[in-house]
Amino acid sequence: MPILTTSLNFTDDDKPTLLSAYSLGYILTQIGGGFLADRYGAEVVISATVGISSLVLLTLTTWLTSAATWTKAFLVLGIVAGPLFPAGSAAISANVPPQRRAASAAIVDAAASAGTTMASIAPMIADQFGWKLVYNVTAIGLGIVSVGALSIPKEGRKQTMTQLPQSNSNAKPVGKYPVAALFAPAALATYICHSADNFTKYSVNAWTATMLSEKHGASLTTVGAILATQEAIGVISRLLIGMLGPATASFSQRGWTSVVAFAIQGLALLAAFRAPSALYASIMFNISAVAVGAHSVGFRPIYFEASPEHAGSVSGFGNTIASLASFVGPVLIGSIHRGW
């Protein structure tokens, strides 16, 4: 954002407007996007949303220069990004056998964390080669993904819908529309877990650097190293726990897995924010990152298992609620951060 501000002469008032426009669009389309993925196929929704994102990014580097037009473009980017999470859930539910869904969820979560890590180095690349190069390369990559998404097999849906393990098949059929599935007990519990996870994740991401610099006087290099290490450990833990964890489990087992992970995560973060040094804080952050990986075999696969034929709709509804928690977290922590 600082590079864009300098290049395009954005004001300080323009920056929060841009970011809030994306967030607003993201919230608006998750439920509808999930329903469309369930109804017409995840491959169609993923290809369309990613393809439109590619075109918008190319437009930003070519024609749009004012803050007002960028705000509208960011709103569009948020709108088309909203369906991706539920569409991904629908794709896994329809095409991945039950015994491999937890591992698939772990891979998706790890990829998302890896993307966050890559995004953190984008400003350095933009500083050397210009922000337009970063946007254009990203647009090309999204275009390739858009075409590749159409290769997701369509024949896997009927095969995997009938393969749900008996321990997880206690939900009754919910029919053509997903109203009952959205408010099933397992789904409601998953929404709570997802919201708690997002609240914690976004709060930590927003305030860790500030805490390390203000409380411990850590340099920017030290802060960057701590944050990068934390993200890397998070990626590795998701992959390892997802691959080595139970292939199939009951809702209760998955729930208790996340309960234990939340407990370890909370204790580690409490110790991190009360740490006497940046090094001790870093160790605690890393322990928390390991615990987060357990959610890949905890609450996350319930999105696929609670109602496989409506996985997109359930995921979209849950991620909408969790997204609201991700906004509340940083604001709440910011209001009390002087107390650490």
Side-chain angles (χ1 to χ4, degrees):
M1 188 59 73
I3 295 175
L4 291 175
T5 300
T6 302
S7 176
L8 300 172
N9 297 317
F10 292 161
T11 66
D12 290 338
D13 293 333
D14 293 330
K15 291 182 285 186
T17 303
L18 285 169
L19 297 178
S20 62
Y22 180 89
S23 300
L24 174 62
Y26 185 76
I27 289 178
L28 290 176
T29 55
Q30 294 185 69
I31 298 176
F35 178 78
L36 291 176
D38 289 333
R39 190 76 179 272
Y40 300 106
E43 67 283 348
V44 175
V45 174
I46 293 174
S47 179
T49 56
V50 173
I52 294 172
S53 296
S54 175
L55 294 176
V56 172
L57 289 179
L58 290 174
T59 302
L60 286 172
T61 63
T62 308
W63 293 298
L64 305 185
T65 57
S66 70
T69 53
W70 270 70
T71 299
K72 295 175 182 177
F74 269 48
L75 177 63
V76 173
L77 284 173
I79 288 173
V80 297
L84 284 177
F85 178 83
S89 295
I92 292 175
S93 179
N95 297 285
V96 179
Q99 65 271 20
R100 296 176 56 190
R101 287 176 185 160
S104 298
I107 293 172
V108 171
D109 289 346
S113 295
T116 301
T117 303
M118 291 296 295
S120 67
I121 67 173
M124 292 184 288
I125 299 175
D127 187 46
Q128 293 294 321
F129 302 102
W131 64 269
K132 289 186 178 182
L133 175 67
V134 175
Y135 273 55
N136 286 329
V137 171
T138 303
I140 293 172
L142 291 175
I144 295 173
V145 172
S146 178
V147 175
L150 295 176
S151 66
I152 296 175
K154 301 178 180 62
E155 64 273 10
R157 179 174 296 269
K158 292 183 179 180
Q159 296 176 5
T160 55
M161 289 303 175
T162 60
Q163 295 176 357
L164 193 65
Q166 291 300 313
S167 59
N168 286 344
S169 60
N170 51 2
K172 296 180 180 179
V174 294
K176 184 177 181 180
Y177 296 101
V179 176
L182 295 179
F183 298 99
L188 294 175
T190 304
Y191 304 157
I192 295 173
C193 289
H194 195 174
S195 296
D197 186 36
N198 269 22
F199 182 96
T200 304
K201 177 171 62 178
Y202 284 89
S203 298
V204 170
N205 289 347
W207 290 103
T208 296
T210 301
M211 185 274 288
L212 291 171
S213 61
E214 287 187 359
K215 183 177 180 179
H216 302 297
S219 65
L220 291 177
T221 301
T222 300
V223 170
I226 291 174
L227 296 179
T229 301
Q230 181 182 345
E231 286 291 340
I233 289 177
V235 171
I236 295 172
S237 69
R238 286 174 172 85
L239 289 174
L240 289 180
I241 295 176
M243 298 297 182
L244 300 177
T248 58
S250 67
F251 291 155
S252 176
Q253 290 171 327
R254 295 210 184 282
W256 277 108
T257 298
S258 277
V259 167
V260 173
F262 276 126
I264 296 173
Q265 185 181 357
L267 291 173
L269 290 176
L270 179 64
F273 280 89
R274 294 186 175 184
S277 67
L279 176 61
Y280 185 81
S282 175
I283 294 173
M284 292 298 103
F285 282 131
N286 291 338
I287 292 175
S288 173
V290 172
V292 169
H295 296 318
S296 294
V297 295
F299 75 83
R300 180 78 165 86
I302 296 179
Y303 275 132
F304 320 134
E305 298 171 345
S307 180
E309 63 179 308
H310 297 302
S313 299
V314 174
S315 296
F317 193 77
N319 202 41
T320 298
I321 298 173
S323 295
L324 296 175
S326 70
F327 301 145
V328 173
V331 174
L332 180 61
I333 298 299
S335 67
I336 61 175
H337 83 280
R338 293 300 176 186
W340 57 41

